[in-house]
Amino acid sequence: MAAHAQSHQTIPLNDLSAFRTPPSSWAIAGGISADPGKNHDLRTEAGTGILANLPVSGGADIYTQLEHGDIDLELEFMMANGSNSGIYLQGKYEIQLLDSWGKENVTFGDCGGVYERWIEEKQQGYEGYAPRINASRAPGLWQKMEISFAAPRFDQYGRKVSNARLLRVALNGVTLHENLELTGPTRGGGSAEATRGPLRIQGDHGPVAFRNIRYRLLDNPPLQLGELKWEQFATTTDFAPDLSTLKPKASGKTKTLTHEVTNENSQFTLRFTGKLSVPAAGNYHFDLQAYGSGTLHIDGKEIIGKGWWFRSGTANLSAGEHQVEIIYTKKESWWPNGLGLFVEGPGIRRQALHVESSVPLGQMARQIFLDFESKPVLMRCFIDFRRHPDSAAHRITHAISVGFPQRLAYSYNLSTGTLLQVWKGGFLDATPMWDDRGDGSSQPNGSVIPLSDEPQLAVLATSETPWPIFDKENSPFRPRGYELDDNGQPTYQYEAYGFSASDKIIPTADGRQLERTITCKSSGQSNLYLRVVSGKEIKAVSATLYLVDGTYFIETAAKPLLRNSGGQQELLLPLGAGTSLTYQLIW
Amino acid sequence: MSRYLLYILPVLLWNVLPAQSQTGSKLLPTENDYYKIVTLPLPEGLVLEVGGLATLPNGSIAASTRRGEVWVIENPYMHNGQYPHYRRFASGLHEILGLAYKDGALYLAQRGELTKLVDKDGDGKADLYETVYAWPLSGHYHEYSFGPIVAPDGSMYVTCNVAFGDQEWWRGESRVPWRGWTLRITPDGQMEPFATGMRSPCGIGLVDGELFYGDNPG
């Protein structure tokens, strides 16, 4: 969500006071961990910030004090191995939570599915919706769910006039559903629908934990444009000239904001004036989409100044009516007419103030996807790497991405031998590279775990020496390419610091995780180290299993050194000449 | 905006050029009068955005594509009226714009390196993708690389487009070393900068020991 959006509120998890008479299986905890291989394993540590359901037997659902209508909800959750839970919006419409880790085919009953409705007499389910892809992570890892929900609407007699809708559901950053209409409550959600209801979390099917439960209530009525008048001027410039000196060529009234008031497709300026009704005072963020150039003024004040195409501006508006002026200029004929104006503000979702036909949807590129195949698929392309989902992207120019038949994928920096990121779901979206002239880049088409873009091999004087800062201009690495084995799996070759290494990353036999083996074939150096991972917090879960920032596991029998260095934690392994190191990534 | 302007330019050229050759066709012979132009039939679904061609000693043709594949086309001349046969020799490469055959291997320029492809196990597909020499890129879309051209001494020439857009949308910029250069690369992977001042130096060729290129424009 953009920085200008109204900030989220948080359900406090210092105690259980945010919940109605909480059942005994629910508790507040400070830390939590689970062995992904042990059925229903979930262990808590004292403290606050985590809501945990730890049923000894049975267990029951928990309801928030909060009641909601339209809502944007996001939360993090952790499944125990083999466990099952769910989030019921308004207590009635369930998004399923399940340990669906590694499943190839997912249904409405899997994690992120919209659970089915139910006919009791026939004992028959219907209208369940499977997630688009399986974006689930392993038990014992924090996962993120984002839900945008629109409540059903009722007329003055209490008759339903529009269904509840899931505007968007995303799991671990991947959209699973969009604009789904729900004709009624899902199974176990009762029958009566209402404008408001509490959040309900299922607690009778096994251990589960939650944290960072954040929401925005979006119940304010929408903004409205009214009393709209338009004038059309014959203009020959890229931007509108001073219109006060010009006579309009045509003019009229319109009920909706649209460029369709004119049949011209070049050399015109449209000026719209009217009233904007604002339900509540606050900061409103406007996005103007002018296919050409345009401006937005409110009460005579410039909100979006003269410029090309898509631009934004913010206005602090009081409740009530405001004078609005929108100017759209188009000089050339060889692109389509288009005029859109969106607004987002306190208690309202981003809404269009124009009609949909005013923006040329048909101009979107035909998408080009690369899917997993029966053999590994390799693709070299620019990769825009993000250390965190919200951080700025950094373009890796010599990257290769590999997708395996087991539906696992990774990206690798050939310049430095760095494992950049791993993901599951789909393989690559090559549209940015291959549509039209393209920009040389592709994007992972799944739920990404970013790892690192720094070299993972270095020579250290001692095991205390900080990891060196990489000097790209004087890189010690020399890539030698890769060779495919009989199954089409690549082994990378490179040289650095007087050694020659090979590097192979393949799925494990069960197809649920990746295993990496680095071999140092020859070396003129001692004190060569592999930095397996770095992170804010690395926790030993067992003798061979490490949890990194709560988002993935590293498993290795090689007894790595866990150290604090430069404000972070690192797992290091010495790599001697003629030896190999192996570790697994589990997520 | 600049994106729209950029692709209007080729459109304008296409509009102009066929018109000229049509009016000229009554007065002047066309290429087709000397070299008959035949479009090879493609299997449905195959996208061949060809950026490099090489003839192979056995009469086949190898073609490299922007989608990162190398295809070997057997019976390209369709003798006996038979279809040509397409075999995917390599895939997953970065917008290949050039292809050459030398001593049993195919060489090609990806955006960021000169690559050697070898079929080691003899199954008709490359299994060794060797990096002969990698050069830096800033990641701008216009940083295409072309070649290689094989010289009689076994060394190879590649050319490197500039990026543009920081100052003016059309102004070329060499943001990292060797963009706008022609590079000479020896078979053992040593690089020697050869010439500079290029913008978009595609269409390179060697005639009597001299290297030519066609820049855009001219």
Side-chain angles (χ1 to χ4, degrees):
Chain A
M1 195 49 64
H4 54 78
Q6 182 202 13
S7 60
H8 285 79
Q9 291 174 274
T10 303
I11 293 185
L13 298 176
N14 300 316
D15 53 39
L16 289 170
S17 60
F19 302 92
R20 300 177 184 177
T21 53
S24 61
S25 61
W26 293 86
I28 296 293
I32 198 142
S33 62
D35 185 326
K38 259 194 212 162
N39 190 250
H40 279 212
D41 180 53
L42 200 65
R43 285 160 283 166
T44 57
E45 296 157 31
T48 60
I50 294 171
L51 172 69
N53 181 42
L54 303 156
V56 180
S57 65
D61 296 0
I62 194 168
Y63 293 78
T64 57
Q65 302 279 9
L66 169 81
E67 295 214 337
H68 71 88
D70 287 13
I71 190 173
D72 278 356
L73 173 71
E74 58 175 63
L75 52 80
E76 289 173 73
F77 65 97
M78 183 188 287
M79 302 307 298
N81 175 309
S83 193
N84 176 337
S85 178
I87 300 157
Y88 288 81
L89 295 147
Q90 296 190 315
K92 297 177 188 312
Y93 315 95
E94 187 192 9
I95 309 295
Q96 172 78 330
L97 299 181
L98 190 79
D99 170 17
S100 296
W101 182 43
K103 265 194 175 179
E104 194 182 334
N105 293 309
V106 284
T107 71
F108 68 88
D110 279 295
C111 199
V114 179
Y115 211 79
E116 64 181 2
R117 304 193 64 198
W118 188 251
I119 305 171
E120 190 60 40
E121 312 83 72
K122 292 187 186 168
Q123 291 290 297
Q124 188 187 316
Y126 67 110
E127 291 183 6
Y129 302 106
R132 290 179 185 174
I133 63 167
N134 186 359
S136 299
R137 294 192 176 156
L141 298 176
W142 285 109
Q143 310 193 55
K144 187 169 184 182
M145 184 74 82
E146 297 163 86
I147 301 167
S148 285
F149 172 78
R153 304 282 196 265
F154 302 88
D155 68 13
Q156 55 183 317
Y157 307 109
R159 291 178 302 207
K160 188 165 78 169
V161 293
S162 64
N163 284 320
R165 279 184 304 147
L166 286 169
L167 303 176
R168 179 172 179 262
V169 177
L171 175 59
N172 297 320
V174 175
T175 300
L176 302 183
H177 308 280
E178 262 177 313
N179 288 315
L180 274 190
E181 210 162 305
L182 306 175
T183 60
T186 57
R187 186 175 184 184
S191 55
E193 295 182 86
T195 50
R196 298 179 82 80
L199 284 171
R200 165 185 170 196
I201 303 172
Q202 191 176 34
D204 61 352
H205 282 62
V208 63
F210 297 87
R211 70 177 184 187
N212 298 327
I213 307 173
R214 293 160 15 108
Y215 62 93
R216 298 199 307 151
L217 297 179
L218 298 158
D219 288 327
N220 278 353
L223 274 66
Q224 277 178 338
L225 268 181
E227 297 176 37
L228 267 183
K229 291 178 190 156
W230 62 274
E231 295 162 294
Q232 182 202 322
F233 301 89
T235 54
T236 56
T237 47
D238 287 331
F239 301 100
D242 180 5
L243 297 177
S244 65
T245 63
L246 295 180
K247 262 199 164 164
K249 207 173 144 189
S251 62
K253 290 180 180 175
T254 174
K255 289 207 168 89
T256 54
L257 177 63
T258 175
H259 66 78
E260 294 156 305
V261 295
T262 179
N263 291 322
E264 301 285 346
N265 71 349
S266 65
Q267 304 212 328
F268 69 85
T269 291
L270 287 174
R271 174 163 70 182
F272 295 88
T273 52
K275 288 200 170 126
L276 183 66
S277 307
V278 177
N283 278 322
Y284 287 85
H285 183 85
F286 292 88
D287 285 328
L288 179 66
Q289 300 189 347
Y291 286 62
S293 71
T295 60
L296 170 68
H297 286 77
I298 297 177
D299 298 329
K301 197 178 149 200
E302 180 185 290
I303 307 301
I304 298 171
K306 200 192 252 186
W308 287 108
W309 297 90
F310 295 9
R311 283 155 316 110
S312 304
T314 300
N316 187 274
L317 300 175
S318 58
E321 287 195 337
H322 296 267
Q323 288 294 330
V324 64
E325 181 197 61
I326 300 140
I327 291 176
Y328 170 43
T329 298
K330 188 161 178 270
K331 181 186 166 193
E332 307 291 348
S333 62
W334 53 269
W335 68 76
N337 290 7
L339 175 64
L341 182 62
F342 295 89
V343 62
E344 182 175 359
I348 60 158
R349 284 206 164 86
R350 181 176 149 96
Q351 68 171 99
L353 292 169
H354 57 276
V355 285
E356 280 198 327
S357 56
S358 185
V359 172
L361 293 177
Q363 302 297 315
M364 291 162 84
R366 187 186 55 163
Q367 290 172 291
I368 308 168
F369 295 119
L370 292 178
D371 203 357
F372 298 110
E373 294 176 13
S374 58
K375 284 220 166 190
V377 183
L378 283 68
M379 186 49 63
R380 291 192 60 166
C381 47
F382 297 149
I383 287 289
D384 290 333
F385 177 78
R386 293 171 198 276
R387 281 199 179 84
H388 304 285
D390 301 326
S391 62
H394 162 60
R395 183 156 279 192
I396 309 292
T397 54
H398 292 68
I400 186 165
S401 298
V402 182
F404 293 97
Q406 295 86 346
R407 311 191 71 78
L408 305 175
Y410 70 83
S411 298
Y412 182 89
N413 188 346
L414 289 159
S415 294
T416 56
T418 304
L419 182 54
L420 293 164
Q421 57 191 11
V422 295
W423 71 93
K424 294 175 185 172
F427 182 38
L428 282 178
D429 179 358
T431 316
M433 177 162 65
W434 289 341
D435 174 58
D436 200 70
R437 191 181 291 207
D439 75 350
S441 78
S442 300
Q443 289 162 359
N445 198 14
S447 175
V448 177
I449 302 263
L451 300 168
S452 173
D453 60 350
E454 293 174 74
Q456 290 182 267
L457 287 166
V459 174
L460 304 182
T462 73
S463 63
E464 308 289 311
T465 311
W467 199 256
I469 292 162
F470 179 54
D471 178 4
K472 201 178 171 184
E473 307 298 319
N474 299 293
S475 171
F477 291 88
R478 170 131 198 187
R480 286 297 187 191
Y482 48 92
E483 190 165 345
L484 306 180
D485 66 15
D486 289 344
N487 296 316
Q489 303 174 138
T491 300
Y492 307 103
Q493 312 284 349
Y494 51 90
E495 290 156 13
Y497 304 110
F499 70 87
S500 131
S502 70
D503 193 350
K504 190 167 194 177
I505 305 154
I506 55 171
T508 51
D510 67 5
R512 295 213 285 195
Q513 54 218 47
L514 285 174
E515 181 171 278
R516 183 181 195 187
T517 304
I518 297 181
T519 305
C520 183
K521 286 190 237 167
S522 61
S523 174
Q525 296 262 9
S526 54
N527 299 332
L528 180 65
Y529 283 87
L530 167 71
R531 185 165 73 172
V532 180
V533 288
S534 61
K536 279 197 189 110
E537 188 198 20
I538 301 176
K539 233 165 123 177
V541 181
S542 72
T544 56
L545 192 66
Y546 299 85
L547 175 63
V548 185
D549 292 335
T551 50
Y552 59 96
F553 294 107
I554 295 289
E555 187 160 37
T556 179
K559 306 277 174 236
L561 168 68
L562 172 55
R563 71 173 194 175
N564 295 309
S565 182
Q568 58 179 7
Q569 293 197 298
E570 298 176 326
L571 279 185
L572 294 190
L573 282 168
L575 181 56
T579 64
S580 282
L581 291 173
T582 298
Y583 67 90
Q584 296 182 356
L585 267 160
I586 305 169
W587 78 98
Chain B
M1 179 57 209
S2 60
R3 189 177 161 83
Y4 280 88
L5 284 177
L6 290 179
Y7 70 69
I8 191 73
L9 291 175
V11 172
L12 289 172
L13 290 174
W14 283 121
N15 286 339
V16 170
L17 292 177
Q20 282 181 341
S21 58
Q22 266 170 28
T23 49
S25 64
K26 286 173 191 145
L27 304 169
L28 298 166
T30 67
E31 196 175 8
N32 200 42
D33 294 326
Y34 293 93
Y35 298 97
K36 189 157 181 62
I37 296 171
V38 176
T39 302
L40 299 191
L42 292 182
E44 182 166 307
L46 180 57
V47 179
L48 276 195
E49 298 169 335
V50 175
L53 285 172
T55 52
L56 305 182
N58 65 0
S60 295
I61 286 177
S64 68
T65 76
R66 188 178 71 119
R67 295 205 175 190
E69 295 177 326
V70 176
W71 289 84
V72 171
I73 307 165
E74 280 175 38
N75 188 28
Y77 305 105
M78 295 188 284
H79 294 312
N80 309 321
Q82 297 297 307
Y83 277 105
H85 177 266
Y86 294 82
R87 165 164 46 95
R88 196 171 75 165
F89 182 74
S91 64
L93 300 165
H94 202 184
E95 299 188 76
I96 313 164
L97 293 170
L99 190 63
Y101 175 85
K102 176 166 131 15
D103 302 335
L106 282 166
Y107 291 81
L108 53 89
Q110 303 189 56
R111 275 185 181 267
E113 67 172 56
L114 177 63
T115 308
K116 177 185 183 183
L117 299 178
V118 183
D119 172 15
K120 283 175 79 174
D121 64 3
D123 67 351
K125 294 180 209 99
D127 35 42
L128 177 65
Y129 291 63
E130 186 185 320
T131 304
V132 181
Y133 183 78
W135 47 80
L137 295 170
S138 79
H140 187 268
Y141 95 88
H142 195 256
E143 288 172 328
Y144 298 108
S145 304
F146 305 98
I149 293 296
V150 183
D153 68 354
S155 64
M156 298 186 200
Y157 294 90
V158 295
T159 55
C160 304
N161 270 20
V162 290
F164 56 76
D166 270 1
Q167 300 161 65
E168 303 278 356
W169 67 263
W170 45 265
R171 181 173 293 168
E173 293 157 11
S174 183
R175 293 183 186 171
V176 291
W178 318 128
R179 301 318 299 174
W181 281 76
T182 297
L183 309 179
R184 176 177 174 267
I185 297 164
T186 60
D188 64 343
Q190 301 302 310
M191 189 277 285
E192 178 187 85
F194 181 75
T196 188
M198 291 95 185
R199 181 184 188 273
S200 193
C202 55
I204 44 177
L206 198 67
V207 181
D208 297 335
E210 290 184 299
L211 193 72
F212 291 81
Y213 73 99
D215 211 324
N216 112 310

